[in-house]
Coordinates of all heavy atoms in Angstrom, one line a residue:
M104 N -32.8 66.6 -5.7 CA -33.4 65.3 -5.5 C -32.3 64.4 -5.1 O -31.2 64.4 -5.7 CB -34.1 64.9 -6.8 CG -34.6 63.5 -6.7 SD -35.5 63.3 -8.2 CE -35.8 61.6 -8.1
K105 N -32.5 63.6 -4.0 CA -31.5 62.7 -3.5 C -32.0 61.3 -3.9 O -33.0 60.9 -3.5 CB -31.4 62.9 -2.0 CG -30.3 62.1 -1.5 CD -30.2 62.5 0.0 CE -29.0 61.7 0.7 NZ -29.0 61.9 2.1
I106 N -31.0 60.6 -4.5 CA -31.3 59.2 -4.8 C -30.5 58.3 -3.8 O -29.3 58.3 -3.7 CB -31.0 58.8 -6.2 CG1 -31.7 59.7 -7.1 CG2 -31.2 57.3 -6.5 CD1 -31.4 59.5 -8.6
T107 N -31.2 57.3 -3.2 CA -30.5 56.4 -2.2 C -30.8 54.9 -2.7 O -31.7 54.7 -3.5 CB -31.1 56.6 -0.8 OG1 -32.4 56.3 -0.9 CG2 -30.8 57.9 -0.3
N108 N -30.1 54.0 -2.2 CA -30.3 52.7 -2.6 C -31.2 51.9 -1.7 O -31.0 50.7 -1.4 CB -28.9 52.0 -2.5 CG -28.1 52.4 -3.7 OD1 -28.5 52.9 -4.7 ND2 -26.7 52.5 -3.5
I109 N -32.3 52.5 -1.2 CA -33.2 51.9 -0.3 C -34.0 50.8 -1.2 O -34.6 51.2 -2.2 CB -34.1 52.9 0.4 CG1 -33.2 53.8 1.3 CG2 -35.3 52.2 1.1 CD1 -34.1 54.9 1.8
G110 N -34.0 49.6 -0.6 CA -34.8 48.6 -1.3 C -34.0 47.9 -2.4 O -34.5 46.8 -3.0
L111 N -32.9 48.4 -2.8 CA -32.2 47.7 -3.9 C -31.0 46.9 -3.3 O -30.4 47.3 -2.3 CB -31.5 48.7 -4.8 CG -32.6 49.5 -5.6 CD1 -31.7 50.5 -6.5 CD2 -33.4 48.7 -6.5
N112 N -30.8 45.7 -3.8 CA -29.7 44.9 -3.2 C -28.4 45.4 -3.9 O -28.3 45.7 -5.0 CB -29.9 43.4 -3.6 CG -31.2 42.9 -2.9 OD1 -31.4 43.3 -1.8 ND2 -31.7 41.8 -3.4
Q113 N -27.4 45.5 -3.0 CA -26.1 45.8 -3.5 C -25.5 44.6 -4.1 O -25.1 43.7 -3.5 CB -25.2 46.3 -2.4 CG -25.8 47.4 -1.6 CD -25.3 48.9 -2.2 OE1 -24.2 48.8 -2.8 NE2 -26.0 49.9 -2.0
V114 N -25.5 44.6 -5.5 CA -25.0 43.4 -6.2 C -23.8 43.8 -7.0 O -23.9 44.8 -7.7 CB -26.1 42.9 -7.1 CG1 -25.5 41.7 -7.9 CG2 -27.3 42.5 -6.3
N115 N -22.7 43.0 -7.0 CA -21.5 43.2 -7.8 C -21.6 42.0 -8.7 O -21.1 40.9 -8.4 CB -20.4 43.2 -6.8 CG -19.1 43.5 -7.6 OD1 -19.1 43.5 -8.9 ND2 -18.0 43.7 -6.9
P116 N -22.0 42.3 -9.9 CA -22.1 41.1 -10.9 C -20.7 40.4 -11.1 O -20.6 39.3 -11.4 CB -22.7 41.7 -12.1 CG -22.6 43.1 -12.0 CD -22.4 43.5 -10.5
Y117 N -19.7 41.3 -11.1 CA -18.4 40.7 -11.3 C -17.9 39.6 -10.2 O -17.4 38.7 -10.6 CB -17.2 41.9 -11.5 CG -15.9 41.3 -11.6 CD1 -15.4 40.8 -12.8 CD2 -15.0 41.3 -10.4 CE1 -14.1 40.3 -12.9 CE2 -13.8 40.8 -10.6 CZ -13.3 40.3 -11.8 OH -12.1 39.8 -11.9
K118 N -18.2 40.1 -9.0 CA -17.8 39.3 -7.9 C -18.7 37.9 -8.0 O -18.2 36.8 -7.7 CB -18.1 40.0 -6.6 CG -17.7 39.3 -5.4 CD -17.7 40.0 -4.1 CE -17.2 39.3 -2.9 NZ -17.4 40.2 -1.7
R119 N -20.0 38.1 -8.2 CA -20.8 36.8 -8.3 C -20.3 35.9 -9.4 O -20.3 34.7 -9.3 CB -22.2 37.3 -8.6 CG -23.1 36.0 -8.7 CD -24.6 36.5 -9.0 NE -25.2 37.0 -7.7 CZ -26.3 37.6 -7.7 NH1 -27.0 37.8 -8.9 NH2 -26.8 38.2 -6.6
N120 N -20.0 36.5 -10.6 CA -19.5 35.8 -11.7 C -18.1 35.0 -11.3 O -17.9 33.9 -11.5 CB -19.2 36.5 -12.9 CG -19.0 35.7 -14.2 OD1 -19.2 34.6 -14.2 ND2 -18.3 36.3 -15.1
Q121 N -17.2 35.8 -10.6 CA -16.0 35.2 -10.2 C -16.2 34.1 -9.1 O -15.5 33.1 -9.2 CB -15.1 36.3 -9.5 CG -13.8 35.9 -9.1 CD -12.9 35.6 -10.3 OE1 -13.1 36.0 -11.4 NE2 -12.0 34.7 -10.0
Q122 N -17.2 34.2 -8.2 CA -17.5 33.2 -7.2 C -18.0 31.9 -8.0 O -17.6 30.8 -7.6 CB -18.6 33.6 -6.3 CG -18.0 34.6 -5.3 CD -19.0 35.2 -4.4 OE1 -20.3 35.1 -4.6 NE2 -18.7 35.9 -3.3
Q123 N -18.8 32.1 -9.1 CA -19.3 30.9 -9.8 C -18.2 30.2 -10.5 O -18.1 29.0 -10.5 CB -20.4 31.3 -10.8 CG -21.7 31.8 -10.1 CD -22.6 32.3 -11.1 OE1 -22.3 32.5 -12.3 NE2 -23.8 32.5 -10.6
V124 N -17.2 30.9 -11.1 CA -16.1 30.4 -11.7 C -15.2 29.6 -10.7 O -14.8 28.5 -11.0 CB -15.2 31.5 -12.4 CG1 -14.0 30.9 -12.9 CG2 -16.0 32.1 -13.5
E125 N -15.0 30.1 -9.6 CA -14.2 29.4 -8.5 C -14.8 28.2 -8.1 O -14.2 27.1 -7.9 CB -14.0 30.4 -7.3 CG -13.0 31.5 -7.6 CD -12.9 32.5 -6.4 OE1 -13.6 32.3 -5.5 OE2 -12.1 33.5 -6.6
K126 N -16.2 28.1 -8.0 CA -16.9 27.0 -7.5 C -16.7 25.9 -8.7 O -16.5 24.8 -8.3 CB -18.4 27.3 -7.4 CG -18.7 27.9 -6.1 CD -20.2 28.2 -5.9 CE -20.5 29.0 -4.6 NZ -22.0 29.1 -4.5
T127 N -16.9 26.3 -9.9 CA -16.8 25.3 -11.0 C -15.2 24.7 -11.0 O -15.0 23.5 -11.3 CB -17.1 25.8 -12.3 OG1 -16.4 27.0 -12.6 CG2 -18.7 26.2 -12.3
Q128 N -14.3 25.6 -10.7 CA -12.9 25.1 -10.8 C -12.6 24.2 -9.6 O -11.9 23.2 -9.8 CB -12.0 26.2 -10.6 CG -11.9 27.1 -12.0 CD -11.0 28.3 -11.8 OE1 -10.6 28.7 -10.7 NE2 -10.7 29.0 -12.9
Q129 N -13.3 24.3 -8.5 CA -13.1 23.5 -7.3 C -13.7 22.1 -7.6 O -13.2 21.1 -7.3 CB -13.6 24.1 -6.0 CG -12.8 25.3 -5.5 CD -13.6 25.9 -4.3 OE1 -14.6 25.5 -3.9 NE2 -12.9 26.8 -3.7
V130 N -14.9 22.2 -8.3 CA -15.5 20.9 -8.6 C -14.8 20.2 -9.6 O -14.7 18.9 -9.6 CB -17.0 21.2 -9.0 CG1 -17.7 19.9 -9.5 CG2 -17.8 21.8 -7.8
A131 N -14.2 20.8 -10.6 CA -13.6 20.2 -11.7 C -12.2 19.6 -11.4 O -11.8 18.7 -12.0 CB -13.3 21.2 -12.7
K132 N -11.6 20.0 -10.2 CA -10.4 19.5 -9.8 C -10.5 18.1 -9.2 O -11.0 18.1 -8.0 CB -9.6 20.4 -8.9 CG -9.1 21.6 -9.5 CD -8.4 22.5 -8.5 CE -8.0 23.9 -9.0 NZ -7.4 24.8 -8.0
P133 N -10.2 17.0 -9.8 CA -10.3 15.7 -9.1 C -9.1 15.6 -8.1 O -8.0 15.8 -8.4 CB -10.2 14.7 -10.2 CG -9.3 15.4 -11.3 CD -9.8 16.9 -11.2
T134 N -9.4 15.1 -7.0 CA -8.4 14.8 -6.0 C -7.8 13.5 -6.3 O -8.6 12.4 -6.6 CB -9.0 14.9 -4.6 OG1 -10.0 13.8 -4.5 CG2 -9.5 16.2 -4.3
T135 N -6.5 13.2 -6.2 CA -5.9 12.1 -6.6 C -5.0 11.6 -5.4 O -4.5 12.5 -4.6 CB -4.9 12.1 -7.8 OG1 -4.0 13.1 -7.6 CG2 -5.8 12.4 -9.0
D136 N -5.0 10.3 -5.2 CA -4.2 9.8 -4.0 C -2.8 9.5 -4.7 O -2.6 9.2 -5.8 CB -4.7 8.5 -3.5 CG -6.0 8.7 -2.8 OD1 -6.3 9.9 -2.3 OD2 -6.8 7.8 -2.7
Q137 N -1.8 9.6 -3.8 CA -0.4 9.3 -4.2 C 0.2 8.4 -3.3 O -0.1 8.5 -2.0 CB 0.4 10.6 -4.2 CG 0.1 11.6 -5.3 CD 0.9 12.8 -5.4 OE1 1.7 13.1 -4.4 NE2 0.9 13.6 -6.4
L138 N 1.0 7.5 -3.7 CA 1.7 6.6 -2.9 C 3.2 6.6 -3.2 O 3.6 6.5 -4.5 CB 1.1 5.2 -3.1 CG 1.9 4.0 -2.5 CD1 1.5 4.0 -0.9 CD2 1.4 2.7 -3.0
E139 N 3.9 6.7 -2.2 CA 5.4 6.8 -2.4 C 6.0 5.6 -1.5 O 5.8 5.6 -0.3 CB 6.0 8.2 -2.0 CG 7.4 8.2 -2.3 CD 7.9 9.6 -2.0 OE1 7.2 10.6 -2.2 OE2 9.1 9.8 -1.6
I140 N 6.7 4.7 -2.1 CA 7.4 3.5 -1.4 C 8.8 4.0 -1.2 O 9.5 4.4 -2.0 CB 7.2 2.3 -2.3 CG1 5.8 2.0 -2.6 CG2 8.0 1.2 -1.6 CD1 5.6 0.9 -3.5
S141 N 9.2 3.8 0.1 CA 10.6 4.1 0.5 C 11.5 3.0 0.0 O 11.1 2.1 -0.4 CB 10.6 4.2 2.0 OG 10.5 2.9 2.6
S142 N 12.7 3.4 0.0 CA 13.8 2.5 -0.5 C 13.9 1.3 0.4 O 14.2 0.2 -0.1 CB 15.1 3.2 -0.6 OG 15.5 3.8 0.7
A143 N 13.6 1.5 1.7 CA 13.6 0.3 2.6 C 12.6 -0.7 2.2 O 12.7 -1.9 2.2 CB 13.5 0.8 4.0
A144 N 11.3 -0.2 1.9 CA 10.2 -1.1 1.5 C 10.5 -1.7 0.2 O 10.1 -2.8 0.0 CB 8.9 -0.2 1.4
K145 N 11.1 -1.0 -0.7 CA 11.5 -1.5 -2.0 C 12.5 -2.8 -1.9 O 12.4 -3.7 -2.5 CB 12.1 -0.6 -2.9 CG 11.1 0.4 -3.5 CD 11.7 1.5 -4.4 CE 10.7 2.5 -4.8 NZ 11.2 3.6 -5.6
S146 N 13.5 -2.6 -0.9 CA 14.5 -3.6 -0.6 C 13.8 -4.9 0.0 O 14.2 -6.0 -0.2 CB 15.5 -3.1 0.2 OG 15.1 -2.8 1.6
M147 N 12.7 -4.6 0.7 CA 12.0 -5.7 1.3 C 11.1 -6.5 0.3 O 10.8 -7.6 0.5 CB 11.0 -5.2 2.4 CG 11.6 -4.7 3.6 SD 10.4 -4.2 4.9 CE 11.4 -3.2 6.0
Q148 N 10.8 -5.9 -0.8 CA 10.0 -6.5 -1.8 C 10.8 -7.6 -2.5 O 10.3 -8.6 -3.0 CB 9.5 -5.6 -2.8 CG 8.4 -4.7 -2.2 CD 7.8 -3.7 -3.2 OE1 8.5 -3.4 -4.1 NE2 6.6 -3.2 -3.0
T149 N 12.2 -7.5 -2.7 CA 13.0 -8.4 -3.3 C 13.3 -9.5 -2.4 O 13.3 -9.3 -1.1 CB 14.4 -7.7 -3.7 OG1 15.0 -7.2 -2.6 CG2 14.0 -6.6 -4.8
K150 N 13.4 -10.7 -3.0 CA 13.7 -11.9 -2.1 C 15.1 -11.9 -1.7 O 16.0 -11.7 -2.4 CB 13.3 -13.2 -2.9 CG 11.9 -13.3 -3.1 CD 11.6 -14.7 -3.6 CE 10.1 -14.9 -3.7 NZ 9.7 -16.1 -4.2
S151 N 15.4 -12.3 -0.4 CA 16.7 -12.4 0.1 C 17.3 -13.7 -0.4 O 16.6 -14.6 -0.8 CB 16.7 -12.4 1.6 OG 16.1 -13.5 2.2
P152 N 18.7 -13.8 -0.3 CA 19.2 -15.0 -0.8 C 18.8 -16.3 0.2 O 18.7 -17.4 -0.4 CB 20.7 -14.9 -0.5 CG 20.8 -13.4 -0.6 CD 19.6 -12.8 -0.1
V153 N 18.5 -16.1 1.4 CA 18.0 -17.1 2.3 C 16.7 -17.6 1.8 O 16.4 -18.9 1.7 CB 17.9 -16.6 3.7 CG1 17.2 -17.7 4.6 CG2 19.2 -16.2 4.2
E154 N 15.7 -16.7 1.4 CA 14.4 -17.1 0.9 C 14.5 -17.9 -0.5 O 13.8 -18.8 -0.7 CB 13.5 -15.9 0.7 CG 13.1 -15.3 1.9 CD 12.3 -13.9 1.7 OE1 12.6 -13.3 0.7 OE2 11.4 -13.7 2.6
V155 N 15.5 -17.5 -1.3 CA 15.7 -18.2 -2.6 C 16.2 -19.6 -2.3 O 15.7 -20.6 -2.9 CB 16.7 -17.3 -3.5 CG1 17.1 -18.2 -4.7 CG2 16.1 -16.0 -3.9
N156 N 17.2 -19.7 -1.4 CA 17.7 -21.1 -1.1 C 16.6 -21.9 -0.5 O 16.5 -23.1 -0.8 CB 18.9 -21.0 -0.1 CG 20.1 -20.3 -0.8 OD1 20.2 -20.4 -2.0 ND2 21.0 -19.8 0.1
Q157 N 15.8 -21.4 0.4 CA 14.7 -22.2 1.0 C 13.7 -22.7 -0.1 O 13.2 -23.8 0.0 CB 14.0 -21.4 2.1 CG 14.8 -21.3 3.4 CD 14.0 -20.3 4.4 OE1 13.1 -19.7 4.1 NE2 14.6 -20.3 5.6
A158 N 13.4 -21.8 -1.0 CA 12.5 -22.1 -2.0 C 13.0 -23.2 -2.9 O 12.3 -24.2 -3.3 CB 12.1 -20.8 -2.8
E159 N 14.3 -23.2 -3.2 CA 14.9 -24.2 -4.1 C 14.9 -25.5 -3.2 O 14.7 -26.6 -3.9 CB 16.3 -23.8 -4.3 CG 16.5 -22.6 -5.4 CD 17.9 -22.2 -5.6 OE1 18.8 -22.7 -4.9 OE2 18.1 -21.2 -6.5
R160 N 15.2 -25.4 -2.0 CA 15.3 -26.6 -1.2 C 13.8 -27.3 -1.1 O 13.7 -28.5 -1.2 CB 15.8 -26.3 0.2 CG 15.9 -27.5 1.1 CD 16.6 -27.2 2.4 NE 16.6 -28.4 3.2 CZ 16.4 -28.4 4.5 NH1 16.1 -27.3 5.2 NH2 16.6 -29.6 5.2
V161 N 12.8 -26.6 -0.9 CA 11.4 -27.1 -0.9 C 11.1 -27.6 -2.1 O 10.5 -28.7 -2.2 CB 10.5 -25.9 -0.4 CG1 9.0 -26.3 -0.7 CG2 10.7 -25.5 1.1
A162 N 11.5 -27.0 -3.2 CA 11.1 -27.5 -4.6 C 11.8 -28.9 -4.8 O 11.2 -29.8 -5.4 CB 11.5 -26.5 -5.7
A163 N 13.1 -29.0 -4.3 CA 13.8 -30.2 -4.5 C 13.2 -31.4 -3.7 O 13.0 -32.5 -4.1 CB 15.3 -30.0 -4.1
I164 N 12.8 -31.0 -2.4 CA 12.2 -32.0 -1.7 C 10.8 -32.4 -2.2 O 10.5 -33.7 -2.1 CB 11.9 -31.5 -0.1 CG1 13.3 -31.4 0.5 CG2 11.1 -32.4 0.7 CD1 13.3 -30.7 1.8
K165 N 10.1 -31.5 -2.7 CA 8.7 -31.8 -3.4 C 9.1 -32.8 -4.5 O 8.2 -33.8 -4.8 CB 8.0 -30.6 -3.8 CG 7.4 -29.9 -2.7 CD 6.6 -28.7 -3.3 CE 5.9 -28.0 -2.2 NZ 5.1 -26.8 -2.7
A166 N 10.0 -32.5 -5.3 CA 10.3 -33.3 -6.5 C 10.7 -34.8 -6.0 O 10.3 -35.8 -6.7 CB 11.5 -32.7 -7.3
Q167 N 11.5 -34.9 -4.9 CA 11.8 -36.2 -4.4 C 10.6 -36.9 -3.9 O 10.4 -38.2 -4.1 CB 12.9 -36.0 -3.3 CG 14.2 -35.6 -3.7 CD 15.2 -35.4 -2.6 OE1 14.8 -35.5 -1.4 NE2 16.5 -35.3 -3.0
I168 N 9.8 -36.2 -3.2 CA 8.5 -36.9 -2.7 C 7.6 -37.4 -3.9 O 7.1 -38.5 -3.9 CB 7.7 -35.8 -1.8 CG1 8.5 -35.6 -0.5 CG2 6.3 -36.4 -1.5 CD1 7.9 -34.6 0.4
D169 N 7.5 -36.6 -4.8 CA 6.7 -36.9 -6.0 C 7.2 -38.2 -6.7 O 6.5 -39.1 -7.3 CB 6.5 -35.8 -7.0 CG 5.6 -34.7 -6.5 OD1 4.8 -35.0 -5.6 OD2 5.8 -33.5 -7.0
A170 N 8.6 -38.2 -6.8 CA 9.3 -39.4 -7.5 C 9.4 -40.5 -6.5 O 9.7 -41.6 -7.0 CB 10.7 -38.9 -7.8
G171 N 9.1 -40.4 -5.2 CA 9.1 -41.5 -4.3 C 10.6 -41.8 -3.9 O 10.8 -43.0 -3.4
T172 N 11.4 -40.9 -3.9 CA 12.8 -41.2 -3.6 C 13.2 -40.4 -2.2 O 14.4 -40.5 -1.9 CB 13.8 -40.7 -4.8 OG1 13.6 -39.4 -5.0 CG2 13.6 -41.6 -6.0
Y173 N 12.3 -39.8 -1.7 CA 12.6 -39.1 -0.4 C 12.8 -40.0 0.7 O 12.0 -40.8 1.1 CB 11.5 -38.0 -0.1 CG 11.9 -37.1 1.1 CD1 12.9 -36.1 0.9 CD2 11.2 -37.2 2.2 CE1 13.2 -35.3 2.1 CE2 11.4 -36.5 3.3 CZ 12.4 -35.5 3.2 OH 12.7 -34.7 4.3
Q174 N 13.9 -39.8 1.4 CA 14.4 -40.7 2.5 C 14.5 -39.8 3.8 O 15.1 -38.8 3.7 CB 15.6 -41.5 2.3 CG 15.6 -42.4 1.1 CD 14.8 -43.6 1.4 OE1 14.7 -44.1 2.5 NE2 13.9 -44.0 0.3
V175 N 13.9 -40.3 4.9 CA 14.0 -39.5 6.1 C 14.9 -40.3 7.0 O 14.8 -41.5 7.3 CB 12.6 -39.4 6.7 CG1 12.7 -38.8 8.2 CG2 11.7 -38.8 5.9
D176 N 15.9 -39.7 7.6 CA 16.8 -40.2 8.6 C 16.2 -40.1 9.9 O 16.0 -39.1 10.6 CB 18.2 -39.4 8.6 CG 19.2 -40.0 9.5 OD1 19.0 -41.1 10.1 OD2 20.2 -39.3 9.7
A177 N 15.7 -41.3 10.4 CA 14.9 -41.4 11.7 C 15.7 -40.9 12.9 O 15.2 -40.1 13.8 CB 14.4 -42.8 11.8
K178 N 17.0 -41.1 13.0 CA 17.8 -40.8 14.2 C 18.0 -39.3 14.2 O 17.9 -38.7 15.3 CB 19.2 -41.5 14.1 CG 19.0 -43.0 14.5 CD 20.4 -43.6 14.5 CE 20.3 -45.1 14.9 NZ 21.5 -45.8 15.2
K179 N 18.3 -38.7 13.0 CA 18.4 -37.3 12.9 C 17.1 -36.6 13.3 O 17.1 -35.6 14.1 CB 18.9 -36.9 11.5 CG 19.2 -35.4 11.4 CD 19.8 -35.1 10.1 CE 20.0 -33.6 10.0 NZ 20.6 -33.2 8.6
L180 N 16.1 -37.1 12.8 CA 14.7 -36.6 13.1 C 14.4 -36.5 14.6 O 14.0 -35.6 15.2 CB 13.6 -37.2 12.3 CG 12.2 -36.8 12.6 CD1 12.0 -35.3 12.2 CD2 11.2 -37.6 11.9
A181 N 14.6 -37.7 15.3 CA 14.5 -37.9 16.7 C 15.3 -37.0 17.5 O 14.8 -36.4 18.5 CB 14.7 -39.4 17.1
T182 N 16.5 -36.8 17.1 CA 17.5 -35.9 17.8 C 17.1 -34.4 17.7 O 17.0 -33.7 18.7 CB 18.9 -36.0 17.2 OG1 19.3 -37.4 17.2 CG2 19.9 -35.1 17.9
N183 N 16.6 -34.1 16.5 CA 16.1 -32.7 16.4 C 14.8 -32.4 17.1 O 14.6 -31.3 17.8 CB 15.8 -32.3 14.9 CG 17.1 -32.2 14.1 OD1 18.1 -32.0 14.7 ND2 17.0 -32.4 12.8
I184 N 13.9 -33.4 17.2 CA 12.7 -33.3 18.0 C 13.1 -33.2 19.5 O 12.5 -32.3 20.3 CB 11.8 -34.5 17.8 CG1 11.2 -34.4 16.4 CG2 10.6 -34.5 18.8 CD1 10.3 -35.5 16.0
L185 N 14.0 -34.0 20.0 CA 14.3 -33.8 21.4 C 15.0 -32.5 21.7 O 14.7 -31.9 22.7 CB 15.3 -35.0 21.8 CG 14.7 -36.3 22.0 CD1 15.8 -37.4 22.2 CD2 13.9 -36.4 23.1
N186 N 15.9 -32.0 20.8 CA 16.6 -30.7 21.1 C 15.5 -29.6 21.1 O 15.7 -28.6 21.9 CB 17.6 -30.5 20.0 CG 18.8 -31.4 20.1 OD1 19.1 -31.9 21.2 ND2 19.5 -31.7 19.0
Y187 N 14.5 -29.7 20.3 CA 13.4 -28.7 20.2 C 12.7 -28.6 21.5 O 12.4 -27.6 22.0 CB 12.5 -28.9 19.1 CG 11.4 -28.1 18.9 CD1 11.6 -26.8 18.4 CD2 10.0 -28.4 19.4 CE1 10.5 -25.8 18.3 CE2 9.1 -27.4 19.3 CZ 9.2 -26.2 18.8 OH 8.2 -25.3 18.8
Y188 N 12.4 -29.9 22.0 CA 11.5 -29.7 23.2 C 12.4 -29.6 24.5 O 11.8 -29.2 25.6 CB 10.7 -31.0 23.4 CG 9.5 -31.0 22.5 CD1 9.5 -31.8 21.3 CD2 8.5 -30.2 22.8 CE1 8.3 -31.7 20.5 CE2 7.3 -30.2 21.9 CZ 7.4 -31.0 20.8 OH 6.2 -30.9 20.0
R189 N 13.6 -29.7 24.4 CA 14.5 -29.5 25.7 C 14.7 -28.1 25.9 O 14.9 -27.6 27.0 CB 15.8 -30.2 25.6 CG 15.8 -31.6 25.7 CD 17.2 -32.2 25.6 NE 17.0 -33.6 25.7 CZ 18.0 -34.5 25.3 NH1 19.1 -34.1 24.8 NH2 17.9 -35.8 25.4
L190 N 14.5 -27.2 24.9 CA 14.7 -25.8 25.1 C 13.6 -25.3 25.7 O 13.1 -24.6 26.4 CB 14.9 -25.1 23.6 CG 16.2 -25.6 23.0 CD1 16.3 -24.9 21.6 CD2 17.4 -25.1 23.8

């Protein structure tokens, strides 16, 4: 008598189980984003000495305006405006 696998599905239960385990592992792994800041970008985040000086100057002028002691030199202002528009 000859027995053949006609009508029976060729099933490998170990392989099916392994595939299910792999699917659950893929679902379980959360993907995370990573951000790496270069040293050049880090140096740009710090304020330069020029920016610090400008901030101090603006703060001093604001304090003078609030106190009512801020004086504008009209001749110097007119000269600077003329120089700006001549260029």
Side-chain angles (χ1 to χ4, degrees):
M104 178 172 165
K105 183 175 182 182
I106 300 175
T107 61
N108 291 332
I109 297 175
L111 295 176
N112 293 333
Q113 300 267 338
V114 178
N115 185 349
Y117 175 76
K118 187 174 182 179
R119 181 180 289 168
N120 189 25
Q121 185 65 25
Q122 288 173 346
Q123 288 176 350
V124 169
E125 288 174 1
K126 284 182 183 178
T127 57
Q128 287 176 349
Q129 289 175 354
V130 172
K132 291 181 184 176
T134 58
T135 58
D136 295 333
Q137 292 183 349
L138 175 67
E139 186 173 328
I140 300 175
S141 67
S142 59
K145 288 178 185 177
S146 67
M147 287 183 202
Q148 288 179 338
T149 60
K150 289 189 176 183
S151 69
V153 173
E154 290 175 329
V155 172
N156 290 339
Q157 287 176 346
E159 290 173 356
R160 184 171 179 224
V161 168
I164 291 172
K165 282 183 180 180
Q167 288 176 354
I168 291 171
D169 290 339
T172 59
Y173 184 69
Q174 297 292 324
V175 177
D176 184 8
K178 288 185 180 185
K179 184 176 178 182
L180 177 64
T182 304
N183 287 338
I184 291 173
L185 283 174
N186 289 337
Y187 176 79
Y188 284 108
R189 285 183 183 162
L190 296 177

